[in-house]
Amino acid sequence: MLAGRRVIEAQNITVHYGGGSIRRTAKVTALEDVSLSVEAGACHGLVGESGSGKSTLGRVLLGLTAPNRGRVAIAGFDPARLARRQRPAFCRSVQCVFQDSGTVLNPRLSVGRSVREGLDIQRCGTRADRDAAVAALFERVGLSQTLLERFPHQLSGGQRQRVNIARALSVSPKVLVADEPLSALDVSVQAQILDLLHGIQRESGLTIVLITHDLKVAQEICDTVTVLEAGRTVEHGRADDVFANPKHSTTRRLINSLPTPKFA
Ligand code: ADP
Ligand code: MG
């Protein structure tokens, strides 16, 4: 069993967008009083339909969106109240991977260089040490060393997503927030990337927040889940329990919308 040490604790998070008096934009409540806690080494799923607030919660955890109300503690930091000198340590501790849109990686850097960047910024070891670290990261995410000098557009979507994962892992984070990491990939590749994330979580004890609209994805690898609807938590708990015995109509709807397995 997990020791139960919490790496993420978000309490009563509320986020509004818009509502500006100057441009008179309509106010959208993206999250309303959402709380979350994730144990060290767990994979926690944030699931819900499009627009339910998943990405907003991910952005709050990453410190990219400041909540209007509520507090977050993640890897020992409060992302909404980081002192400038804490930023580098926060960025090492909490990394992210997004949907591969083909534009996440710098198109002018070889993918090997992209993975090296974080190590170069931190001036980790000698040049040779960093080369060795990049080679090891490629190996770890299942990329051939022959791809090191290639550019992003020369890779497939799945390979690019492996590069993004290697980049995130390069600084040895405690938490990885993955927002729809499979959405842009072919179905066959989705399973491989999901396996990769699962393997990394098990081997390294990385804590993962997996944001997905696809309940099946969460079912595959999540230990615990939060189901969001219209910015509110409708259900949360151990993934096995939630999926075996869904209490809320939204969860049941998400389960029922899954295609019936062809070979079951
Ligand atoms: P999800 O990731 O579950 O699809 P989001 O967190 O992206 O949901 O969005 C939640 C709600 O907030 C939606 O109604 C969306 O339209 C709105 N929203 C998201 N980002 C912004 C933004 N930058 N400005 C205004 N509204 C936004
Ligand atoms: Mg989203």
Side-chain angles (χ1 to χ4, degrees):
M1 278 305 286
L2 296 167
R5 194 170 57 84
R6 300 220 166 120
V7 168
I8 305 173
E9 193 86 59
Q11 286 171 339
N12 311 106
I13 302 298
T14 295
V15 174
H16 305 296
Y17 290 114
S21 53
I22 298 169
R23 279 184 287 152
R24 291 177 190 273
T25 47
K27 186 162 115 177
V28 175
T29 302
L31 289 174
E32 174 101 55
D33 202 25
V34 171
S35 298
L36 178 83
S37 73
V38 182
E39 293 180 357
C43 179
H44 185 84
L46 294 182
V47 301
E49 283 157 355
S50 173
S52 57
K54 305 179 300 292
S55 292
T56 301
L57 188 49
R59 291 177 56 85
V60 168
L61 297 178
L62 292 164
L64 301 172
T65 293
N68 296 83
R69 277 199 300 281
R71 268 194 108 84
V72 174
I74 180 165
F77 296 90
D78 177 345
R81 293 175 188 75
L82 287 178
R84 184 185 276 266
R85 62 182 161 74
Q86 290 179 307
R87 283 208 172 268
F90 175 74
C91 291
R92 280 197 299 277
S93 299
V94 183
Q95 281 282 318
C96 52
V97 175
F98 295 104
Q99 180 176 328
D100 173 66
S101 57
T103 59
V104 178
L105 293 163
N106 184 336
R108 283 188 279 199
L109 287 186
S110 70
V111 292
R113 278 289 302 281
S114 270
V115 173
R116 256 185 89 103
E117 242 183 357
L119 301 170
D120 286 340
I121 290 166
Q122 287 183 55
R123 302 205 180 84
C124 296
T126 63
R127 218 194 130 83
D129 291 339
R130 285 176 236 160
D131 284 340
V134 172
L137 283 160
F138 265 57
E139 170 107 40
R140 187 166 178 208
V141 300
L143 284 174
S144 158
Q145 309 287 324
T146 60
L147 300 177
L148 279 165
E149 303 300 323
R150 301 270 179 91
F151 289 86
H153 72 272
Q154 298 172 308
L155 269 55
S156 69
Q159 288 171 331
R160 273 201 305 268
Q161 201 56 313
R162 288 177 195 270
V163 172
N164 286 318
I165 293 168
R167 234 173 97 80
L169 295 180
S170 70
V171 292
S172 305
K174 294 194 176 72
V175 179
L176 180 70
V177 178
D179 190 347
E180 304 279 8
L182 313 176
S183 293
L185 305 174
D186 292 342
V187 174
S188 59
V189 182
Q190 288 187 357
Q192 295 166 14
I193 299 295
L194 196 59
D195 274 352
L196 174 64
L197 288 171
H198 198 198
I200 290 163
Q201 180 224 346
R202 274 179 312 194
E203 285 159 26
S204 66
L206 181 69
T207 305
I208 297 181
V209 176
L210 180 63
I211 296 176
T212 176
H213 67 280
D214 185 344
L215 205 72
K216 202 161 137 286
V217 166
Q219 234 168 347
E220 291 272 335
I221 73 164
C222 292
D223 302 298
T224 50
V225 286
T226 298
V227 182
L228 294 174
E229 186 192 54
R232 292 173 178 272
T233 303
V234 294
E235 198 157 349
H236 67 98
R238 294 205 58 85
D240 294 344
D241 298 340
V242 169
F243 296 135
N245 185 19
K247 300 211 165 32
H248 197 275
S249 56
T250 302
T251 319
R252 284 198 288 270
R253 194 168 65 240
L254 288 167
I255 291 173
N256 289 335
S257 70
L258 293 176
T260 326
K262 284 197 192 96
F263 308 101

